[in-house]
Amino acid sequence: MAESPEQQPPVQAFGWAARDTSGVLTPFKFSRRATGDKDVTFKVLYCGICHSDLHQNVLKTGNRVEPEKAPGHGSPVEPSGQPHEIVGVITEVGTKVKKFKVGDRVGVGGIVWSCHTCEDCSNNLENYCPKLVLTYNSTYYDGTPTYGGYSDLMVVDEHFVIAIPENLPLDACAPLLCAGITTYSPLRHFGLDRAGMHVGVVGLGGLGHTAVKFAKAFGVKVTVISTSPGKKQEATERLGADSFLISRDPDQMQAAMGTMDGIIDTVSAQHPLLPLIGLLKSHGKLVMVGALDKPLELPVFPLLMGRKIVAGSGGGGIKETQEMINFAAKHNITADIELIPMDYVNTAMERLVKADVRYRFVIDIGNTLKAV
């Protein structure tokens, strides 16, 4: 682990965060640790806003989102509102850093530390390490907050840093460090990446649109499943989905029953699972990747009659995240974004509650974050 702040003087940084229960993000100063032997320090240029960022704040809206404890090491910390789709350029490297040099384009996703010794870490699944430290709303083992990416700089152990290929635009690839790996990983792990398979994608938002892009790059037949008829043209003509199902149309759903090898469910709101299970072939897999705050009803009998599986998947390890970024570079996959200035972040959060974005907000940190 990098040397602690007690061994090296901390570095002053600045950024935006929610510092009280209002949930409103405001500018503030804070300290990052100095660059340790195995650390890289990079100037943050862009940072995406993930839907899970909403769960770290209390928003002043009619649809109130309550804060919750992040699953990483340590307790929730103040200030909050600390995102995890972060890209920039390295400005300093530690004396023992082997993979990176000053000037490299890099990114950091949801993880900044893990134990390196558990079974999951040994299998390159740091995202499932019981002692992982998240990039947001968490603390390092020395007690310092992780803070996240609404900041001018980041200091991260090189193991958790992702190299960004030159042909990927930094702004539009930032969301891939969360939304991208969250959909790429289950496609790969559950064997839904083989050409000729038929995969459904539930929801056409930040996660859903990346799922469509990755699945199509794998050569998979893709059906978007949505409650919004107005998204059909977007799904089929612009994103390249092969077909479109309106989940509230019983005739369409009935006609598609038993046709899909798997479904990636990206929806983070309450919705019935029974119709989705019905779309699966025998041995089909319904994989949940949307973070819901309330339990869903799971009908068991339809699972028995076809040996079907309902599973979950959360992000990906560092090795797989690098694999995903390299795959995205090879196939020219980026997120569809709306680039915004730093001082628009509170409005963006309000809009995100209403799903009023296509499909990911990305903050232009490098050009619009002002020192405080």
Side-chain angles (χ1 to χ4, degrees):
M1 186 171 180
E3 295 183 45
S4 70
E6 289 74 25
Q7 294 169 304
Q8 295 188 53
V11 177
Q12 181 172 294
F14 56 90
W16 282 55
R19 298 191 289 167
D20 56 42
T21 57
S22 73
V24 175
L25 279 70
T26 56
F28 79 117
K29 294 180 181 178
F30 62 98
S31 295
R32 297 277 194 196
R33 69 169 184 265
T35 307
D37 288 345
K38 296 183 179 180
D39 286 335
V40 302
T41 295
F42 67 92
K43 175 180 173 59
V44 177
L45 296 179
Y46 300 99
C47 186
I49 301 179
C50 174
H51 191 275
S52 64
D53 295 349
L54 294 176
H55 297 279
Q56 308 305 318
N57 296 286
V58 180
L59 303 180
K60 288 185 174 179
T61 69
N63 301 315
R64 197 170 181 82
V65 179
E66 298 298 333
E68 62 184 29
K69 179 175 167 43
H73 174 76
S75 301
V77 295
E78 293 292 344
S80 63
Q82 305 153 13
H84 52 278
E85 299 176 347
I86 312 160
V87 294
V89 175
I90 292 179
T91 57
E92 185 179 7
V93 298
T95 57
K96 296 181 180 179
V97 168
K98 298 178 180 179
K99 298 191 298 181
F100 300 101
K101 65 183 185 302
V102 172
D104 284 352
R105 294 153 38 101
V106 294
V108 171
I111 313 166
V112 291
W113 188 252
S114 67
C115 74
H116 298 287
T117 59
C118 70
E119 182 176 356
D120 286 320
C121 284
S122 298
N123 289 314
N124 299 304
L125 294 170
E126 299 91 343
N127 50 313
Y128 299 127
C129 172
K131 296 182 180 179
L132 89 166
V133 176
L134 296 178
T135 311
Y136 57 95
N137 198 27
S138 192
T139 56
Y140 286 107
Y141 289 96
D142 63 7
T144 58
T146 53
Y147 288 116
Y150 295 162
S151 169
D152 61 327
L153 61 90
M154 288 282 293
V155 183
V156 184
D157 184 286
E158 72 165 330
H159 178 82
F160 300 92
V161 177
I162 306 299
I164 307 297
E166 289 294 331
N167 68 308
L168 281 180
L170 286 178
D171 54 356
C173 86
L176 298 183
L177 295 168
C178 177
I181 187 60
T182 298
T183 53
Y184 178 93
S185 183
L187 287 168
R188 293 278 284 151
H189 177 77
F190 291 100
L192 301 175
D193 58 346
R194 296 193 292 273
M197 300 190 83
H198 185 187
V199 172
V201 174
V202 186
L204 196 62
L207 291 172
H209 90 289
T210 63
V212 172
K213 291 186 178 187
F214 280 118
K216 289 300 297 180
F218 285 130
V220 170
K221 177 183 177 182
V222 177
T223 296
V224 170
I225 306 162
S226 174
T227 59
S228 305
K231 291 186 176 182
K232 180 177 181 179
Q233 183 176 4
E234 175 81 3
T236 57
E237 295 184 13
R238 205 177 69 79
L239 295 177
D242 299 279
S243 56
F244 186 88
L245 275 181
I246 301 173
S247 57
R248 292 173 177 167
D249 186 321
D251 292 335
Q252 288 190 23
M253 295 293 283
Q254 179 64 35
M257 284 188 67
T259 63
M260 299 182 187
D261 297 286
I263 295 173
I264 304 297
D265 188 340
T266 72
V267 175
S268 57
Q270 290 290 306
H271 60 289
L273 296 184
L274 180 59
L276 302 178
I277 294 171
L279 296 175
L280 294 172
K281 299 177 182 178
S282 293
H283 321 294
K285 302 157 187 174
L286 171 60
V287 186
M288 313 297 295
V289 298
L292 289 88
D293 56 1
K294 295 180 181 179
L296 293 175
E297 181 178 337
L298 178 61
V300 174
F301 190 74
L303 300 179
L304 306 180
M305 304 306 294
R307 197 157 62 182
K308 300 175 183 180
I309 295 172
V310 176
S313 182
I318 303 304
K319 181 179 179 180
E320 188 176 43
T321 302
Q322 186 67 66
E323 174 189 302
M324 177 274 303
I325 284 289
N326 294 344
F327 183 88
K330 180 179 179 180
H331 295 274
N332 296 312
I333 296 173
T334 56
D336 291 6
I337 67 169
E338 181 178 334
L339 192 64
I340 62 171
M342 186 70 248
D343 61 8
Y344 190 78
V345 63
N346 289 302
T347 301
M349 290 287 187
E350 300 279 357
R351 286 178 55 190
L352 191 55
V353 172
K354 304 171 185 176
D356 179 23
V357 59
R358 198 179 69 181
Y359 288 99
R360 208 63 151 191
F361 287 115
V362 172
I363 303 172
D364 186 352
I365 299 286
N367 289 316
T368 66
L369 177 63
K370 299 177 181 178
V372 292

